[in-house]
Amino acid sequence: MLSFEPGTVFGSRHLADIFSTAPMRTIFGERNSLQSMLLVEVALAKVQGQLGVIPAEAAAAIASAARPELLDLDELAAGTLRAGLPVVNLVEQLIRLTGKPHGEFVHWGATSQDIMDTALVMQMRDALELVHRELERLISAIADLARLHRDTPMVGRTKLQHAIPITFGFKVSVWLSGLLRHRQRLAELKPRVLQVQFGGAVGTFASLGDDGDRVRAALARELGLGEPLVAWHAARDALAETVCLLGLISASLSKIATDIASMAQTEIGEVLEPGGQGHGASSTMPHKRNPIVCEQILSTGLSLRRLASAMLDASVHDHERATGPWQAEWSLLPEAFLLISRAMDNAVRLCSGLVVRPDAMQANLGRTKGLIAAEAVMMALAPYVGRHHAHEMVSAACTHAIASGLTLAESVSRDPAVTAHVAPHEIEKAADPARYIGLSGREVDRVLAACADRPAGAAPEAAPLTRSEST
């Protein structure tokens, strides 16, 4: 339960929106956390009243009293400090607000972790829906880029060096493929994590006897959650899996941001971040347009992936109820959702408004005077002299071209050992980078077709986004 106090970036007026979004802060804010716990207590009383476990009139009285605005937050803070968790005092206040005799049926057969875990799952359900929506928006934005630039040639780079030509559509389709896997992972995750927690002190329903499993099943239905095989007080793998998934998503977003920031370098200039006056401004250099959206994606990703590691450590619980790891989750998990919310919102803004510069891409293809198509020339020669020997011949021609300032085609064409097999006009054709993009377009089409294959539980089609500007 986060309160976003001043002193943290999430509680700062000027930093909160750099590291999170308002909707996600609302989900994990103090008021919603308390409201969620009260909803669980009300739902528990309701189903127990329906099953005859407690009087129906007691359930109605508990529902009427369970209003977060009636809670004394100062008392709750003091009580939480004494007990080490908020539910003890929350229940004390709810009993008092309900009044006698009905207040005695508050929290019937439950333990504190039942309430907090189930309330957390309800918050996570809303948070995962936000992640899902943003993921679909991002998929739509990147699919637009892939479709628009299916055949836009550009430099392919390996080890930060020119490799062979690709298309920009192919590059963004690689980004898109990872997001489609995350869509599948998210759909598979939800049934595992969105489960009610209810079992009493150690999960055996000892205080409810034969009514225990019936109450759990009814509570799950009432809250719209799944019913677990057994209490998961000390089995936290689904929560750890959730944060690891958020970490994986952040890694994909960071890959996108890394590529875009690199392509936006002055010497490359193939793309620009969206933005108007003052976007990415420097306090001292008037000409600067810093890639600030990419920076924010990368910074939140660094923090989030560390949380994934910490969450794995926090999933190791001792015996039936843990000594410490559970409490660590209270800050780790909400913070992970806060960070991914900002990263995803930034990624949507970045990709839906990305300024793409095909002219700069074309200029960079020609920067090495055909050297980028050296493999194409080699493969044209290989059927006649063998691949290894062709590699040596073209490599020598590349060295000569660099030293002499000739184009690759000119250098290769001066070698009679090459022209004995391949005519100069064929060499010129092979050295054209735009002709050596392989199956880039067909690969783009495969990924775009996969966008339509939605897993069960996928969010509805995102609204169309404005296409990125091309110049």
Side-chain angles (χ1 to χ4, degrees):
M1 182 176 67
L2 297 184
S3 59
F4 311 122
E5 289 298 323
T8 71
V9 293
F10 304 115
S12 166
R13 289 285 298 275
H14 65 281
L15 290 177
D17 287 332
I18 295 288
F19 291 93
S20 60
T21 61
M24 197 66 84
R25 291 197 298 273
T26 297
I27 289 173
F28 288 103
E30 182 175 63
R31 180 178 177 84
N32 195 55
S33 295
L34 295 174
Q35 177 71 66
S36 298
M37 287 187 278
L38 289 174
L39 285 173
V40 177
E41 293 284 6
V42 169
L44 177 61
K46 178 180 178 181
V47 299
Q48 288 177 330
Q50 292 170 343
L51 295 172
V53 176
I54 68 172
E57 55 271 23
I62 293 168
S64 296
R67 291 155 49 193
E69 65 271 19
L70 298 179
L71 295 174
D72 184 328
L73 297 185
D74 290 335
E75 180 187 336
L76 181 65
T80 299
L81 190 59
R82 286 193 303 272
L85 73 172
V87 176
V88 173
N89 182 259
L90 184 76
V91 169
E92 290 173 353
Q93 291 196 47
L94 184 53
I95 290 171
R96 190 167 67 241
L97 290 168
T98 303
K100 294 184 177 182
H102 302 313
E104 298 304 320
F105 294 98
V106 170
H107 202 66
W108 194 262
T111 193
S112 295
Q113 192 168 344
D114 288 338
I115 305 305
M116 288 190 66
D117 280 352
T118 303
L120 176 63
V121 167
M122 293 169 65
Q123 291 172 276
M124 289 174 63
R125 178 171 59 188
D126 292 340
L128 287 172
E129 182 58 28
L130 283 183
V131 171
H132 206 157
R133 290 177 191 171
E134 291 300 283
L135 184 59
E136 291 300 328
R137 290 180 63 209
L138 184 56
I139 286 171
S140 178
I142 296 180
D144 281 350
L145 282 174
R147 195 174 296 111
L148 185 61
H149 294 285
R150 176 187 186 273
D151 303 312
T152 302
M154 67 172 294
V155 172
R157 298 176 173 92
T158 59
K159 315 295 184 183
L160 297 178
Q161 306 295 310
H162 283 209
I164 64 174
I166 59 173
T167 70
F168 185 54
F170 177 81
K171 177 182 282 287
V172 301
S173 290
V174 173
W175 302 345
L176 184 56
S177 67
L179 300 178
L180 295 179
R181 288 188 290 274
H182 296 322
R183 173 201 271 175
Q184 182 69 41
R185 292 182 179 109
L186 184 54
E188 293 168 353
L189 167 76
K190 287 180 179 180
R192 288 193 289 272
V193 71
L194 299 182
Q195 297 188 353
V196 75
Q197 175 79 285
F198 186 71
V202 295
T204 61
F205 304 111
S207 62
L208 290 175
D210 291 341
D211 291 321
D213 52 358
R214 290 196 305 139
V215 171
R216 179 177 61 191
L219 181 60
R221 288 193 300 270
E222 177 67 21
L223 295 174
L225 299 174
E227 187 180 358
L229 290 174
V230 68
W232 46 277
H233 295 129
R236 317 301 285 184
D237 55 288
L239 299 185
E241 180 186 6
T242 302
V243 178
C244 286
L245 174 55
L246 300 184
L248 285 172
I249 294 174
S250 83
S252 293
L253 303 185
S254 294
K255 155 65 175 170
I256 294 170
T258 297
D259 281 356
I260 290 176
S262 173
M263 293 168 68
Q265 289 182 94
T266 305
E267 294 82 359
I268 297 176
E270 293 172 342
V271 298
L272 290 173
E273 283 192 358
Q277 181 68 30
H279 179 88
S282 164
S283 65
T284 185
M285 294 172 282
H287 66 285
K288 290 292 292 294
R289 183 171 176 176
N290 297 315
I292 57 167
V293 179
C294 292
E295 285 180 353
Q296 291 173 16
I297 292 172
L298 292 169
S299 66
T300 52
L302 283 171
S303 298
L304 175 50
R305 291 188 291 278
R306 291 191 182 99
L307 292 176
S309 174
M311 193 69 184
L312 287 171
D313 285 339
S315 68
V316 182
H317 285 215
D318 48 283
H319 298 297
E320 284 62 56
R321 299 281 288 280
T323 311
W326 179 46
Q327 287 82 352
E329 295 174 1
W330 301 353
S331 62
L332 294 174
L333 195 145
E335 187 173 341
F337 273 106
L338 291 170
L339 291 168
I340 199 64
S341 71
R342 170 44 58 207
M344 297 196 74
D345 182 73
N346 278 336
V348 171
R349 290 194 298 120
L350 180 64
C351 293
S352 62
L354 189 68
V355 180
V356 182
R357 301 182 62 201
D359 56 335
M361 294 176 178
Q362 188 62 47
N364 287 330
L365 279 171
R367 187 178 295 276
T368 58
K369 298 184 178 181
L371 293 182
I372 194 169
E375 184 188 67
V377 175
M378 179 192 75
M379 294 306 293
L381 182 61
Y384 304 101
V385 301
R387 182 194 170 283
H388 180 70
H389 189 41
H391 187 285
E392 291 179 336
M393 295 169 70
V394 175
S395 178
C398 289
T399 301
H400 178 258
I402 293 169
S404 64
L406 296 173
T407 67
L408 174 64
E410 291 169 341
S411 180
V412 172
S413 295
R414 293 190 177 192
D415 185 347
V418 175
T419 56
H421 304 288
V422 184
H425 74 276
E426 293 175 314
I427 295 171
E428 191 73 38
K429 182 178 177 180
D432 180 1
R435 293 177 177 271
Y436 200 63
I437 58 172
L439 301 181
S440 291
R442 280 162 55 177
E443 293 295 275
V444 171
D445 294 340
R446 279 169 54 84
V447 178
L448 289 174
C451 287
D453 298 332
R454 294 179 180 277
E461 191 72 50
L465 298 171
T466 303
R467 284 186 174 182
S468 48
E469 176 185 345
S470 295
T471 58

